[in-house]
Amino acid sequence: MSLLSENVIPGNHGKTFGTNAMSHQDLVKIKESISHIDGIKDVIIEEDKFPRDFIVHTNATVSVKEIQDAVIKVGFHTIPKSLFEL
């Protein structure tokens, strides 16, 4: 594993995650849960995709595990997608 695959680093790209949450209310719960993590700048939800995605931008290095744990606390799962979309 590497720094890029195990963390969300500050920058314009952020990191995209897929989730099993389907409804708008569930996605808002995920967004609120992740937003409380130190270093999170914003969370952008992409509801027009299936499965649902969200993009996390940070202003400090945040571990993927910490984000996954925050999502699990509200009853869902998430996995990081590829490092950079081309």
Side-chain angles (χ1 to χ4, degrees):
M1 295 299 194
S2 71
L3 176 71
L4 293 177
S5 65
E6 294 179 0
N7 297 288
V8 182
I9 58 171
N12 295 332
H13 292 288
K15 187 177 283 276
T16 302
F17 292 83
T19 183
N20 63 334
M22 297 301 293
S23 72
H24 177 74
Q25 294 86 0
D26 293 339
L27 293 167
V28 169
K29 287 180 190 176
I30 289 173
K31 181 177 181 176
E32 290 173 356
S33 179
I34 293 171
S35 295
H36 293 299
I37 299 172
D38 289 337
I40 299 293
K41 185 165 61 172
D42 66 357
V43 179
I44 300 169
I45 298 173
E46 296 182 335
E47 291 189 58
D48 56 341
K49 291 185 175 181
F50 182 81
R52 304 295 190 252
D53 289 345
F54 58 90
I55 302 169
V56 177
H57 293 99
T58 63
N59 53 20
T61 303
V62 177
S63 75
V64 168
K65 177 82 169 114
E66 193 172 357
I67 293 170
Q68 289 174 324
D69 289 345
V71 174
I72 288 172
K73 285 181 184 176
V74 293
F76 298 98
H77 295 283
T78 188
I79 56 169
K81 293 204 169 183
S82 64
L83 294 176
F84 299 105
E85 292 188 19
L86 301 175

